[in-house]
Structures are given as structure tokens and as C-alpha cells.
């Protein structure tokens, strides 16, 4: 028969153990560290709790070699390497070990690679990979014929549509062409992205692209749509401030509009009188531009 004192001790031990488990669970939730004693768990602990990136990389390598959550270990290791400016090493690691990851993990690994290419200036590789991802979307291989898919960013899941993902990739592709000073191609890509799913950030990028080409009038039209809040995302103050900065930049390049009379040094009364005189002397003429007159005559010939 168990005494009351023994029961009390057992209850206290169970209560202490329960509090310890709750505290341990709370620790893992707060620090977003998985539970367990595997190489991957130790790597995450080194990364997030101990703040020791070098130790975390060593442990991530152990996790990959041990087959312990290879996909997560590979992506997390690439993030840590990027923070340490070991981008080239991260790229080689993903290329070498992505074959150990399942097929559904390949798209997210591509996204990590694109970010790494951008970080270290591998623009050609970035363009090629972006084009490949766009081709996969066109073939229906990424969304599997569905209108949306589940994406993840900063640990949060959300739904993204085919249009949103296509426009996002086109925006990245436009940025890459901008880095190569291929502004005409970048413009075409940005405009296509805006046709599919417009937003203020890509509109700013398109404005910059047009400024680089010296097409200040076209750039002004694009940027003023942000100022007037006609584009999704233009309600954000950051986007409007960026558009305002670019419009001020345009003002430094673009000469103010001048009237013909100002250029020739002629006053309005003189020009009006000259126009009346020409109307009296000359036969009645169409006010349309010559090119439209040619089109009209050609159309009349076809009618005959």
C-alpha cells in the first residue's frame, strides 16, 4: 500500500516534469527550433539560439550527409552561407545535393538559387533559371492545372495565383535584364508583368527602365499612376515616395515644354493672322497628318 507521503512525492515529480515539458515546448515555439536530438535540430539550435553560424553550417552538413531533413537543411544552410558572404559555396551545395530532395522540393530550391545568383551577380544564370521557371508555368507543371498553389515566406503559408507568380517572375526577369543594360528587353518584360498582375513596385522599375532610355515622357505617365493611386500597392507610402523621387529626377533631365511661338519669338496675334492669311490664299486642306491622308487614299483605291 502506497503511503500518502509517497503519493505526494510522485505528484510533485509529475508536476515538475509536466512544467519542464511545457517550458521546453514554449522554448521551441519562441525560438522556432524543432524538438529532438538529431543533427538538423542541433544545427537549428546553433543557428537560432546560440547565434553561431559557423557551427550551424557544420551541423547542417552533418544533417545532409545523414539524410536528416535534407531539403530543410540544404535551404537553411544556404541562407546562413549567404549571410556570411559564402554565396558561391551555397550555390554549389544546392546544385550538388538537390538530387537527394523530392520532386516537390525542386521549385523552392530554384527560388533559393535565384536569390543566390542575384546576390553574387550571376545575372546570366539568373535569367536562364527564371526563363525555365516561366516555361514550367506555361506547361502547367508548377501549378498542376490549378489556379493557385500554397507558398511559404518567412515561415508563413499563403495562397498565390498563377497570375501573381508569373508576374513576380517576369518582374525578376526584368530586373535581371536591367543589370545587363538591356533596357528595351527589360521594358517589354516589365510591361508584360504589369498586364498580368500590376503593382506599384514593378511600375517604379518600369519607370526607371524608361528613364534609362531617355524616354522621360513615358516614364512620367507610368510614375504618375502611382502618385494618383491607380495601381495596386500605390497606397503604400514607400511606393509613392519612390515614385515622387523618380519624378523629381525626371524634372532635372526633361526640359520644360515650350510653345512654338516662344521658340520663334512670335506673338499669338501674329501667328493667328498668318493662319487666316494662309486660309484665304490656299485651297481647303484636311487638318489630318499626311500619314493618315496616305492611308485614306490607299483605302479608297482598295474600295475601287
Amino acid at each position: 500500500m502506497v503511503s500518502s507521503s509517497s503519493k505526494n512525492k510522485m505528484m510533485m515529480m509529475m508536476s515538475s516534469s509536466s512544467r519542464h515539458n511545457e517550458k521546453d515546448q514554449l522554448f521551441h515555439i519562441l525560438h522556432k527550433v524543432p524538438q529532438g536530438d538529431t543533427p538538423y535540430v542541433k544545427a537549428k539550435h546553433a543557428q537560432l539560439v546560440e547565434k553561431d553560424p559557423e557551427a550551424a553550417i557544420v551541423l547542417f552538413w552533418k544533417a545532409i550527409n545523414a539524410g536528416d531533413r535534407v531539403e530543410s537543411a540544404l535551404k537553411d544552410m544556404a541562407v546562413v552561407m549567404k549571410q556570411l558572404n559564402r554565396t558561391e559555396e551555397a550555390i554549389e551545395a544546392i546544385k550538388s545535393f538537390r538530387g537527394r530532395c523530392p520532386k516537390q522540393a525542386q521549385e523552392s530550391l530554384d527560388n533559393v538559387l535565384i536569390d543566390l545568383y542575384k546576390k553574387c551577380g550571376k545575372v546570366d544564370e539568373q535569367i536562364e533559371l527564371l526563363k525555365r521557371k516561366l516555361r514550367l508555368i506555361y506547361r502547367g507543371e508548377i501549378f498542376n492545372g490549378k489556379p493557385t498553389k500554397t507558398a511559404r515566406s518567412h515561415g508563413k503559408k499563403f495562397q498565390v495565383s498563377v497570375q501573381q507568380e508569373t508576374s513576380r517572375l517576369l518582374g525578376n526577369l526584368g530586373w535581371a535584364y536591367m543589370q545587363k543594360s538591356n533596357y528595351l528587353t527589360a521594358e517589354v518584360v516589365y510591361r508584360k508583368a504589369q498586364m498580368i498582375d500590376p503593382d506599384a513596385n514593378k511600375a517604379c522599375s518600369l519607370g526607371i527602365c524608361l528613364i534609362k532610355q531617355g524616354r522621360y515622357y513615358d516614364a512620367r505617365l507610368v510614375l504618375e499612376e502611382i502618385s494618383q493611386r491607380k495601381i495596386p500597392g500605390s497606397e503604400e507610402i514607400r511606393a509613392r515616395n519612390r515614385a515622387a523621387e523618380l519624378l523629381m529626377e525626371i524634372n532635372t533631365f526633361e526640359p520644360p515644354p515650350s510653345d512654338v511661338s516662344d521658340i520663334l519669338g512670335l506673338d499669338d496675334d501674329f501667328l493667328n493672322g498668318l493662319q487666316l492669311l494662309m486660309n484665304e490664299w490656299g485651297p481647303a486642306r484636311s487638318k489630318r497628318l499626311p500619314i493618315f491622308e496616305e492611308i485614306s487614299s490607299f483605302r479608297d483605291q482598295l474600295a475601287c
Side-chain angles (χ1 to χ4, degrees):
M1 193 172 177
V2 182
S3 64
S4 60
S5 61
S6 296
K7 285 183 178 180
N8 289 336
K9 286 182 180 179
M10 289 175 64
M11 292 289 290
M12 290 176 64
M13 289 175 63
M14 289 174 64
S15 177
S16 176
S17 175
S18 177
R19 285 196 300 271
H20 176 76
N21 289 336
E22 289 178 1
K23 186 177 180 181
D24 188 51
Q25 288 178 0
L26 184 62
F27 172 83
H28 288 288
I29 292 171
L30 288 175
H31 292 280
K32 298 181 180 179
V33 180
Q35 292 179 305
D37 194 36
T38 65
Y40 178 75
V41 172
K42 291 178 180 178
K44 293 298 290 183
H45 193 277
Q47 177 193 5
L48 301 174
V49 181
E50 298 172 9
K51 307 293 183 183
D52 188 345
E54 295 289 354
I57 289 174
V58 172
L59 290 166
F60 279 131
W61 273 124
K62 287 184 178 180
I64 292 168
N65 290 324
D68 178 24
R69 299 180 67 170
V70 178
E71 174 194 348
S72 297
L74 194 54
K75 289 191 290 188
D76 290 340
M77 184 176 71
V79 170
V80 177
M81 285 180 170
K82 179 185 172 185
Q83 292 170 348
L84 297 177
N85 291 320
R86 293 166 60 178
T87 314
E88 299 272 0
E89 190 178 345
I91 291 171
E92 289 306 314
I94 291 178
K95 286 183 174 180
S96 299
F97 291 93
R98 67 184 303 167
R100 298 189 183 185
C101 302
K103 183 179 179 181
Q104 58 267 28
Q106 300 305 314
E107 185 193 349
S108 60
L109 288 170
D110 280 343
N111 291 334
V112 176
L113 267 180
I114 288 171
D115 192 44
L116 293 171
Y117 286 147
K118 186 175 181 179
K119 170 75 174 178
C120 65
K122 289 182 175 290
V123 181
D124 290 331
E125 289 84 348
Q126 184 185 358
I127 289 174
E128 189 58 37
L129 186 50
L130 285 166
K131 285 182 175 179
R132 186 167 71 83
K133 285 178 69 67
L134 286 164
R135 281 193 292 268
L136 290 174
I137 290 178
Y138 298 155
R139 294 172 189 163
E141 295 181 25
I142 290 183
F143 284 78
N144 296 317
K146 299 178 181 178
T148 62
K149 69 169 185 172
T150 302
R152 184 188 296 270
S153 178
H154 304 292
K156 295 181 179 180
K157 291 183 178 180
F158 58 95
Q159 292 294 309
V160 59
S161 68
V162 177
Q163 291 85 356
Q164 289 171 330
E165 182 67 1
T166 303
S167 182
R168 184 186 71 84
L169 292 172
L170 285 171
N172 289 339
L173 185 59
W175 183 91
Y177 279 121
M178 288 269 284
Q179 306 316 300
K180 293 178 69 68
S181 299
N182 192 343
Y183 301 122
L184 190 58
T185 303
E187 179 194 347
V188 172
V189 172
Y190 275 130
R191 289 193 184 279
K192 187 68 173 177
Q194 290 296 81
M195 288 172 61
I196 296 171
D197 186 46
D199 68 61
N201 289 328
K202 291 195 293 290
C204 281
S205 298
L206 176 57
I208 294 171
C209 182
L210 293 167
I211 290 172
K212 292 288 187 181
Q213 297 179 64
R215 293 164 55 192
Y216 305 119
Y217 176 77
D218 292 338
R220 183 183 294 280
L221 292 179
V222 171
L223 296 168
E224 283 179 346
E225 287 190 329
I226 303 174
S227 303
Q228 297 165 8
R229 304 191 185 191
K230 293 182 178 180
I231 299 178
S234 54
E235 67 278 0
E236 295 181 8
I237 188 65
R238 183 177 177 182
R240 293 202 308 277
N241 286 343
R242 182 60 177 140
E245 290 172 2
L246 291 170
L247 285 168
M248 289 180 63
E249 183 179 336
I250 289 173
N251 290 336
T252 63
F253 293 114
E254 188 180 37
S258 299
D259 190 74
V260 176
S261 60
D262 294 334
I263 298 172
L264 299 176
L266 304 174
D267 58 70
D268 290 341
D269 289 339
F270 180 87
L271 288 173
N272 291 334
L274 184 61
Q275 184 64 46
L276 289 172
L277 190 62
M278 291 176 65
N279 290 341
E280 289 181 7
W281 286 349
R285 295 178 59 189
S286 171
K287 294 182 180 180
R288 291 187 297 178
L289 294 174
I291 183 63
F292 294 111
E293 295 291 346
E294 292 172 13
I295 292 172
S296 297
S297 62
F298 180 69
R299 183 187 59 194
D300 294 338
Q301 291 173 15
L302 290 177
C304 295

